[in-house]
Amino acid sequence: MYVGRFIVVGPDFAAYRVSSRSFPNRRVVERDGTLTVAPTPDAPETDNPYIAYNCVREGGEGVVVGNGSHVDPIAEKLDLGYPARDALAESLLALDYEKDDYDTPRIAGVVGEESYVGIVRKDALLVRPVAENPMLVATYEEDDPAVVVFDGEGSPADLAERAYEMDYEHAVCAAGVTYDDGDVSVGFYNGE
């Protein structure tokens, strides 16, 4: 099944995977603790604004994971002291779903003292708290946050590889993050 991009958010970890039929020539790179989805050196040139973005970024007392340019304003709101739920909901609502050919939803999560997962679709804004069990939300098919079986143990790179290997079609690259009482670690897996 093709679900597009997806995130898994647990109480102290998160993983993000790019799945793509249209733009498979992408990878995750690290820049000063921020993880960015970027074209590979051999990717064809495009003016599509949705293929390169920060997918994991620290902010305030947490870390944000998501599928687009909304990751930055969520992190900035956390830096300003917004509660995680409010930073997530306000930014998703303000930026809305992507105005592409598929009305692609924006998905995001915040991992910290309180963890949340959210999505803004053409027809809804949903933000759910994450308690004990990890939750998954995807841009297509699995577009209502729901509990998922996902092993949150291991390094961020392990989490990224685990997300990459999940049984959904067209894996491209993945990112992982752990949160331990304010300490954030990030890692990625590019299918190598």
Side-chain angles (χ1 to χ4, degrees), residues 48-109:
N48 186 316
Y50 301 118
I51 65 164
Y53 50 87
N54 292 333
C55 65
V56 174
R57 179 176 163 187
E58 281 189 69
E61 299 297 317
V63 60
V64 182
V65 59
N67 73 320
S69 60
H70 54 286
V71 167
D72 294 330
I74 296 168
E76 290 161 6
K77 287 187 181 320
L78 292 173
D79 284 338
L80 292 171
Y82 278 62
R85 183 193 65 136
D86 297 351
L88 187 58
E90 284 188 24
S91 298
L92 287 173
L93 185 61
L95 288 166
D96 210 1
Y97 62 93
E98 295 177 0
K99 306 306 190 282
D100 60 7
D101 293 339
Y102 308 104
D103 295 331
T104 302
R106 292 181 190 267
I107 57 174

Side-chain angles (χ1 to χ4, degrees), residues 112-147:
E113 297 307 312
E114 293 184 336
S115 297
Y116 290 88
V117 63
I119 182 171
V120 63
R121 310 183 307 230
K122 188 173 184 176
D123 66 340
L125 168 67
L126 306 171
V127 176
R128 303 276 199 294
V130 176
E132 294 178 22
N133 298 309
M135 298 185 80
L136 178 140
V137 68
T139 54
Y140 310 115
E141 301 296 328
E142 305 284 343
D143 64 353
D144 191 354
V147 171

